[in-house]
Amino acid sequence: MKEKIYTIPLTEALKADCECPLCEVEKNIDIKTTQYFIGPAMMEPDTRSLTNSKGFCRRHYDKMLESGNKLSLALILQTRLNEVNNKLAEISKQKKLQKLKKEIDGFQKMFSSCAVCEKVADRMNDCIDNFLYLLKKEPDFRAEFLLSKGLCMKHFNMLVPLITDNGLLEEVVALQVKQSERIKSEIDKFCLKFDYRSTDLDIEDVKDSPARAVYKLRSLI
Ligand SMILES: [Zn+2]
Ligand SMILES: [Zn+2]
């Protein structure tokens, strides 16, 4: 199975004791995919055709700017701008309101996709399939996961609909309940510090709980 390639990264991510091992893997896939599009692949006609039509989201454009690979980025932007400007030229020729609006609908679609995000999403679907495979077939992996901090809500919501085994489903849900309650109690303690009656409270152990709660609560959008 092709998703086997994610076994080692998933096993390593589980050992990282983070709020979500799938987020750890996704972070690495995201970095590598961004580097891929701005690396030698940008000279391949198929890849360039994809980035010309889909473009990138704001976050990935920012990542490419930060990469410092300005020439590669400029070449990608050059041909993307060709496509954008051709479409704008077509729009400018439309004199009838209905046709003009239709062209603008098409133009908006050119800015509602991201070549990196779509490739990362494809890879994460394979990765989640592999995660489920490991939970079902590898008792050590399953035991380690059940002792972990669980998943973020985004990846929990992606994994749960794929589980067909009742026992596993109960275990995964129970872990998520326990870990979500743990994060809530950490946030409670953090907030309590700002109550005038508990200014002496030591919050060293929960000082990063807002960042970890944000991580935990990330949604699908
Ligand atoms: Zn996650
Ligand atoms: Zn993106």
Side-chain angles (χ1 to χ4, degrees):
M1 75 202 264
K2 65 176 176 176
E3 56 267 28
K4 274 275 182 197
I5 54 166
Y6 299 109
T7 299
I8 293 170
L10 281 169
T11 308
E12 282 173 1
L14 206 48
K15 291 192 191 329
D17 191 32
C18 55
E19 293 294 339
C20 176
L22 289 167
C23 276
E24 286 300 300
V25 175
E26 185 171 10
K27 190 168 72 186
N28 290 328
I29 292 175
D30 198 285
I31 292 168
K32 285 193 183 129
T33 307
T34 309
Q35 285 167 349
Y36 166 84
F37 276 108
I38 204 165
M42 53 76 72
M43 294 307 288
E44 289 167 14
D46 285 355
T47 307
R48 191 71 76 83
S49 160
L50 188 79
T51 60
N52 288 347
S53 60
K54 292 193 180 292
F56 301 102
C57 67
R58 179 176 173 166
R59 185 171 69 85
H60 284 120
Y61 270 129
D62 285 347
K63 292 277 168 211
M64 289 179 177
L65 269 175
E66 285 165 19
S67 79
N69 200 347
K70 293 258 166 70
L71 176 60
S72 287
L73 178 58
L75 291 166
I76 294 169
L77 295 172
Q78 189 178 39
T79 50
R80 167 74 171 157
L81 276 166
N82 276 343
E83 203 138 321
V84 168
N85 290 350
N86 286 343
K87 190 76 182 164
L88 274 177
E90 276 174 42
I91 291 172
S92 72
K93 286 183 205 141
Q94 297 300 335
K95 302 296 171 210
K96 295 218 166 83
L97 188 65
Q98 277 305 94
K99 285 195 171 169
L100 185 61
K101 281 191 171 164
K102 203 167 166 231
E103 288 289 343
I104 287 175
D105 277 351
F107 192 62
Q108 284 173 339
K109 284 199 181 78
M110 287 183 79
F111 295 89
S112 24
S113 51
C114 168
V116 179
C117 282
E118 288 177 19
K119 201 171 179 87
V120 170
D122 272 355
R123 290 187 172 179
M124 281 311 292
N125 284 333
D126 290 344
C127 182
I128 287 170
D129 284 346
N130 191 211
F131 189 75
L132 186 55
Y133 174 85
L134 291 169
L135 286 178
K136 286 196 285 198
K137 304 283 180 194
E138 301 285 343
D140 289 352
F141 185 88
R142 182 162 169 167
E144 199 165 350
F145 175 63
L146 294 174
L147 289 172
S148 76
K149 293 192 166 87
L151 300 172
C152 72
M153 300 303 172
K154 168 183 151 175
H155 288 128
F156 174 76
N157 281 321
M158 287 171 79
L159 177 74
V160 158
L162 305 176
I163 303 176
T164 51
D165 166 331
N166 200 40
L168 179 61
L169 183 62
E170 278 181 20
E171 286 175 350
V172 170
V173 172
L175 174 67
Q176 198 70 5
V177 169
K178 182 178 156 195
Q179 295 302 331
S180 194
E181 282 171 357
R182 187 250 321 153
I183 237 150
K184 167 71 168 44
S185 68
E186 291 179 18
I187 287 288
D188 286 344
K189 187 173 173 186
F190 184 92
C191 294
L192 199 59
K193 174 75 176 170
F194 299 91
D195 185 317
Y196 72 96
R197 287 160 297 186
S198 44
T199 48
D200 291 341
L201 186 69
D202 179 9
I203 59 160
E204 187 57 27
D205 58 334
V206 296
K207 67 175 195 288
D208 62 346
S209 59
R212 285 186 295 104
V214 164
Y215 190 140
K216 203 67 165 173
L217 287 173
R218 281 192 297 193
S219 59
L220 286 164
I221 52 165

